[in-house]
Amino acid sequence: MELWYKEYHTPDVALCLKVKETLFSGRSAYQDIQVIDTWEFGRVLLLDGLVMISQRDEFIYHEMMTHPAMCLHPTAGKCLIIGGGDGGTAREITRHDRPSRVTLCEIDSQVIEISKRFFPEVACALEHDPRVEIVVGDGVEYITRCQDIFDCIFVDSTDPVGPAKALFQEDFFRKCHGALKIDGILVAQSESPTYHLDLMCRMKRSLLTVGFTHVYFYFAPIPTYPGSVWSWVMASKRYHPILDLGKFERHGWPEGLRYYNPEVHKASFAMPEYVRQALEGHDDLHNPG
Ligand code: AG3
């Protein structure tokens, strides 16, 4: 008998993965958590039925979440991750020597535990890197209360439904702006340009409203995510993601990368025309003059 897992991306579109076996299925205080082993993508972590990571393509997501900002920022000494309980974002940040402290604030401790158990190659930094500090709690609350101030903040959230919804809103971005140093950078995953263009426009407006100087989207293919092309937004107080690229040479290059490199950095900020048009009026990189 063939077993298929189906994630609906819209009521009329779905991703189907042929399943070898279900490794874990349970419910935490916040969500359903499942781990399935699939023929094509290896182990897959599902939260409320949605693909969060697969063993085969998580490197693309996590490298693109982190290295564009990590390579742009001259020090990146103190980093904060909101969400990211699987540990992939922390793993990529800790490939760099410069961070002295990486704080991860994840609402669901079960996600951390499941990732350590079923995705040790993703969760490794959570267990083995002394610079990583784990806070189990709500990201909005954390950023509201914390006295710390960061060089880089990474918002590695689920889709904008349920508790993650607040992580896409102006109020949260304002708090992030306040928790960043004078040359800080915020990166947030910003969903699929095919299905969430409106959300991207709103995020851009909000990020400019709260005072970021440069707000640019970039893209990479994630085969298991809705629409296959994924986006991130980089909101920066000082450094321009392309014009300040010269700074690359200043820091040692991280080892073991499989997707990200300087050419990919530049290319990922190229804006498809339909996205550019949707964002028009809020975009100085791609609308010069
Ligand atoms: N965070 C983004 C996952 C969004 C995928 N959406 C979906 N499958 N509908 C992933 C977290 C990885 N650290």
Side-chain angles (χ1 to χ4, degrees), residues 115-139:
S115 187
K116 285 181 183 167
R117 185 164 147 208
F118 294 101
F119 300 89
E121 73 288 357
V122 179
C124 48
L126 304 183
E127 304 204 79
H128 306 304
D129 196 306
R131 296 172 293 170
V132 177
E133 167 198 43
I134 299 176
V135 177
V136 175
D138 180 83

Short mmCIF file of all heavy atoms in Angstrom, two decimals, residues 115-139:
data_model
loop_
_atom_site.label_atom_id
_atom_site.label_comp_id
_atom_site.label_asym_id
_atom_site.label_seq_id
_atom_site.Cartn_x
_atom_site.Cartn_y
_atom_site.Cartn_z
N SER A 115 13.25 18.04 17.46
CA SER A 115 14.32 18.29 16.50
C SER A 115 15.63 17.63 16.96
O SER A 115 16.34 17.01 16.16
CB SER A 115 14.49 19.79 16.28
OG SER A 115 15.40 20.01 15.25
N LYS A 116 15.93 17.76 18.25
CA LYS A 116 17.14 17.11 18.77
C LYS A 116 17.08 15.60 18.54
O LYS A 116 18.08 14.96 18.23
CB LYS A 116 17.27 17.37 20.28
CG LYS A 116 17.72 18.77 20.64
CD LYS A 116 17.83 18.89 22.15
CE LYS A 116 18.20 20.29 22.58
NZ LYS A 116 17.99 20.49 24.03
N ARG A 117 15.87 15.04 18.67
CA ARG A 117 15.73 13.59 18.58
C ARG A 117 15.74 13.08 17.13
O ARG A 117 16.39 12.09 16.83
CB ARG A 117 14.42 13.21 19.27
CG ARG A 117 14.17 11.74 19.37
CD ARG A 117 13.07 11.48 20.41
NE ARG A 117 12.29 10.33 20.00
CZ ARG A 117 11.02 10.14 20.30
NH1 ARG A 117 10.37 11.03 21.04
NH2 ARG A 117 10.39 9.06 19.88
N PHE A 118 15.02 13.79 16.25
CA PHE A 118 14.86 13.27 14.88
C PHE A 118 15.71 13.99 13.83
O PHE A 118 15.86 13.50 12.72
CB PHE A 118 13.39 13.33 14.47
CG PHE A 118 12.51 12.40 15.26
CD1 PHE A 118 11.74 12.89 16.31
CD2 PHE A 118 12.49 11.04 14.98
CE1 PHE A 118 10.93 12.02 17.05
CE2 PHE A 118 11.69 10.17 15.71
CZ PHE A 118 10.91 10.67 16.76
N PHE A 119 16.20 15.20 14.17
CA PHE A 119 17.00 15.96 13.20
C PHE A 119 18.29 16.45 13.88
O PHE A 119 18.55 17.65 13.94
CB PHE A 119 16.21 17.17 12.68
CG PHE A 119 14.92 16.82 11.99
CD1 PHE A 119 13.74 16.69 12.71
CD2 PHE A 119 14.87 16.61 10.61
CE1 PHE A 119 12.54 16.37 12.08
CE2 PHE A 119 13.68 16.29 9.97
CZ PHE A 119 12.51 16.16 10.72
N PRO A 120 19.10 15.50 14.39
CA PRO A 120 20.30 15.94 15.14
C PRO A 120 21.23 16.81 14.30
O PRO A 120 21.90 17.70 14.82
CB PRO A 120 20.97 14.61 15.54
CG PRO A 120 20.34 13.55 14.70
CD PRO A 120 18.97 14.03 14.35
N GLU A 121 21.25 16.59 12.99
CA GLU A 121 22.15 17.38 12.13
C GLU A 121 21.63 18.82 11.96
O GLU A 121 22.37 19.70 11.54
CB GLU A 121 22.34 16.68 10.77
CG GLU A 121 21.17 16.72 9.79
CD GLU A 121 19.96 15.83 10.16
OE1 GLU A 121 20.01 15.11 11.17
OE2 GLU A 121 18.96 15.88 9.42
N VAL A 122 20.36 19.03 12.26
CA VAL A 122 19.81 20.39 12.21
C VAL A 122 19.94 21.05 13.58
O VAL A 122 20.31 22.22 13.71
CB VAL A 122 18.31 20.36 11.78
CG1 VAL A 122 17.73 21.78 11.74
CG2 VAL A 122 18.17 19.70 10.40
N ALA A 123 19.66 20.29 14.63
CA ALA A 123 19.59 20.83 16.00
C ALA A 123 20.96 20.94 16.67
O ALA A 123 21.06 21.43 17.79
CB ALA A 123 18.68 19.95 16.85
N CYS A 124 22.03 20.51 15.97
CA CYS A 124 23.35 20.35 16.61
C CYS A 124 23.80 21.54 17.44
O CYS A 124 24.29 21.37 18.57
CB CYS A 124 24.40 19.99 15.55
SG CYS A 124 24.38 21.04 14.08
N ALA A 125 23.59 22.76 16.90
CA ALA A 125 24.10 23.94 17.64
C ALA A 125 23.36 24.15 18.97
O ALA A 125 23.89 24.76 19.89
CB ALA A 125 23.99 25.19 16.78
N LEU A 126 22.13 23.63 19.05
CA LEU A 126 21.36 23.81 20.28
C LEU A 126 21.97 23.01 21.43
O LEU A 126 21.79 23.34 22.59
CB LEU A 126 19.89 23.39 20.08
CG LEU A 126 19.12 24.08 18.95
CD1 LEU A 126 17.68 23.60 18.92
CD2 LEU A 126 19.17 25.60 19.09
N GLU A 127 22.66 21.94 21.07
CA GLU A 127 23.23 21.09 22.10
C GLU A 127 24.71 21.33 22.31
O GLU A 127 25.22 21.17 23.41
CB GLU A 127 23.04 19.61 21.73
CG GLU A 127 21.59 19.27 21.47
CD GLU A 127 21.30 17.80 21.68
OE1 GLU A 127 21.17 17.42 22.85
OE2 GLU A 127 21.21 17.06 20.67
N HIS A 128 25.40 21.67 21.21
CA HIS A 128 26.87 21.62 21.28
C HIS A 128 27.57 22.96 21.20
O HIS A 128 28.79 23.00 21.31
CB HIS A 128 27.40 20.71 20.17
CG HIS A 128 26.78 19.35 20.18
ND1 HIS A 128 26.81 18.55 21.29
CD2 HIS A 128 26.07 18.68 19.24
CE1 HIS A 128 26.16 17.41 21.02
NE2 HIS A 128 25.69 17.48 19.79
N ASP A 129 26.84 24.06 21.00
CA ASP A 129 27.55 25.34 20.90
C ASP A 129 27.26 26.19 22.13
O ASP A 129 26.13 26.60 22.34
CB ASP A 129 27.15 26.08 19.62
CG ASP A 129 28.14 27.20 19.30
OD1 ASP A 129 28.38 28.06 20.19
OD2 ASP A 129 28.70 27.21 18.19
N PRO A 130 28.28 26.43 22.95
CA PRO A 130 28.07 27.16 24.21
C PRO A 130 27.61 28.60 24.02
O PRO A 130 27.12 29.22 24.96
CB PRO A 130 29.45 27.11 24.88
CG PRO A 130 30.43 26.84 23.79
CD PRO A 130 29.69 26.05 22.75
N ARG A 131 27.74 29.13 22.80
CA ARG A 131 27.30 30.52 22.57
C ARG A 131 25.78 30.61 22.45
O ARG A 131 25.21 31.69 22.53
CB ARG A 131 27.93 31.05 21.28
CG ARG A 131 29.44 31.16 21.35
CD ARG A 131 30.03 31.51 20.01
NE ARG A 131 29.85 30.44 19.03
CZ ARG A 131 30.10 30.55 17.73
NH1 ARG A 131 30.51 31.71 17.23
NH2 ARG A 131 29.93 29.52 16.91
N VAL A 132 25.12 29.46 22.24
CA VAL A 132 23.67 29.46 22.03
C VAL A 132 22.95 29.38 23.37
O VAL A 132 23.18 28.47 24.17
CB VAL A 132 23.24 28.29 21.11
CG1 VAL A 132 21.72 28.26 20.97
CG2 VAL A 132 23.91 28.39 19.75
N GLU A 133 22.08 30.36 23.58
CA GLU A 133 21.27 30.40 24.80
C GLU A 133 19.81 30.22 24.38
O GLU A 133 19.33 30.93 23.49
CB GLU A 133 21.48 31.77 25.46
CG GLU A 133 20.50 32.09 26.56
CD GLU A 133 20.45 33.59 26.88
OE1 GLU A 133 20.46 34.41 25.92
OE2 GLU A 133 20.41 33.93 28.06
N ILE A 134 19.13 29.26 25.00
CA ILE A 134 17.74 28.98 24.60
C ILE A 134 16.78 29.56 25.63
O ILE A 134 16.91 29.34 26.83
CB ILE A 134 17.51 27.46 24.47
CG1 ILE A 134 18.44 26.89 23.39
CG2 ILE A 134 16.05 27.16 24.13
CD1 ILE A 134 18.38 25.39 23.24
N VAL A 135 15.82 30.34 25.14
CA VAL A 135 14.75 30.86 25.98
C VAL A 135 13.46 30.25 25.45
O VAL A 135 13.17 30.37 24.27
CB VAL A 135 14.66 32.41 25.85
CG1 VAL A 135 13.49 32.95 26.67
CG2 VAL A 135 15.97 33.07 26.23
N VAL A 136 12.72 29.56 26.32
CA VAL A 136 11.42 29.04 25.87
C VAL A 136 10.38 30.07 26.25
O VAL A 136 10.15 30.35 27.43
CB VAL A 136 11.11 27.67 26.50
CG1 VAL A 136 9.70 27.22 26.13
CG2 VAL A 136 12.13 26.64 26.04
N GLY A 137 9.76 30.67 25.23
CA GLY A 137 8.77 31.70 25.52
C GLY A 137 8.27 32.36 24.25
O GLY A 137 8.73 32.04 23.15
N ASP A 138 7.35 33.28 24.44
CA ASP A 138 6.72 33.99 23.34
C ASP A 138 7.68 35.08 22.82
O ASP A 138 8.19 35.89 23.60
CB ASP A 138 5.43 34.61 23.87
CG ASP A 138 4.69 35.38 22.80
OD1 ASP A 138 3.97 34.74 22.03
OD2 ASP A 138 4.89 36.61 22.71
N GLY A 139 7.87 35.10 21.51
CA GLY A 139 8.82 36.03 20.91
C GLY A 139 8.45 37.48 21.11
O GLY A 139 9.32 38.33 21.34
#
